[in-house]
Amino acid sequence: MTLPKQDTHTIRALQGLEDSRSSVRLRAALAVGTTPDPRFMGKLIERCAIEPEFYVREMLTWALTRHSAEMTVPELLDEVRSERAQARSQALHTLSKIGDRRAWPAITRALLSDADDEVARSAWRAAVVLVPEGEEPELAAVLSAQLGRGERETQLSLSRALIALGEVILPTLHAATTDLDPRVRTHAIATERLLRDPDAGFEFAIEEAKRVVALGRTSQEGR
């Protein structure tokens, strides 16, 4: 029996998403996003959790954003509770791209402080996109509790997330400049400087903040 052309296309795309070659998986994800079909959603989400290549994951996310949010958001909300870190991270990343604020309740403190840096970074990015109007100060306080965490990439992600919230972050940043942990103080000072001067660059802001901390001054005294 000859399969209808549409079914043949579906089978080929689904097989392509599981191909051992990343270039084939990338093309398959592109094809799925170009012609969205609800039958692909399960496989796209499943693949997000295990796909090793960054560019393919980005294409998978794009393909999911091409489908109806009414269908994708509930599935992604299930994924943010997965035991697999990549599943949580990619689901959060995709939710940030979709931008449907109905997903906001899923952005819990546990996710914002997830032990896995990639999950936490994705949660920070999603949070600043999805936060309801008026709740930015509370989010700023939660995010500020992560100041000083991780290596440069993680710290840069947190600074960018905080800066995206705007001047509401200033009270919590100022409080953090007196923290007992010098890493927290340094990160807080650098973030405040980037807020005031976005062109300064993170590396420059961090090095300047280190000098301020070494001299025992707060960000206010260091100006």
Side-chain angles (χ1 to χ4, degrees), residues 59-210:
M59 191 63 77
L60 291 167
T61 281
W62 173 77
L64 282 166
T65 66
R66 296 272 295 160
H67 291 76
S68 166
E70 296 291 336
M71 292 187 296
T72 55
V73 169
E75 298 291 332
L76 291 167
L77 293 180
D78 286 340
E79 286 294 286
V80 301
R81 294 187 287 270
S82 172
E83 293 183 2
R84 186 187 290 268
Q86 184 171 306
R88 299 196 300 277
S89 176
Q90 201 64 25
L92 287 163
H93 176 60
T94 306
L95 287 169
S96 74
K97 295 296 184 183
I98 293 171
D100 190 323
R101 287 188 169 177
R102 288 174 297 178
W104 169 248
I107 312 299
T108 61
R109 286 176 182 257
L111 283 172
L112 293 169
S113 60
D114 197 284
D116 186 282
D117 283 346
E118 287 302 317
V119 176
R121 290 171 64 186
S122 293
W124 301 337
R125 289 191 293 266
V128 299
V129 170
L130 301 173
V131 61
E133 186 175 353
E135 294 191 31
E136 294 90 348
E138 183 179 352
L139 176 59
V142 174
L143 293 181
S144 293
Q146 301 297 306
L147 285 166
R149 170 179 173 165
E151 302 303 321
R152 291 296 170 89
E153 283 301 313
T154 298
Q155 292 191 7
L156 176 56
S157 290
L158 181 59
S159 291
R160 284 173 171 167
L162 284 164
I163 289 167
L165 294 175
E167 301 236 338
V168 298
I169 68 173
L170 287 173
T172 54
L173 284 183
H174 183 59
T177 63
T178 61
D179 194 275
L180 294 176
D181 187 338
R183 283 175 59 87
V184 173
R185 298 201 301 276
T186 299
H187 196 183
I189 294 168
T191 302
E192 183 178 357
R193 292 196 172 190
L194 280 176
L195 175 67
R196 298 188 183 283
D197 183 11
D199 295 328
F202 187 68
E203 290 298 324
F204 176 80
I206 282 287
E207 293 307 315
E208 284 293 298
K210 282 181 178 179

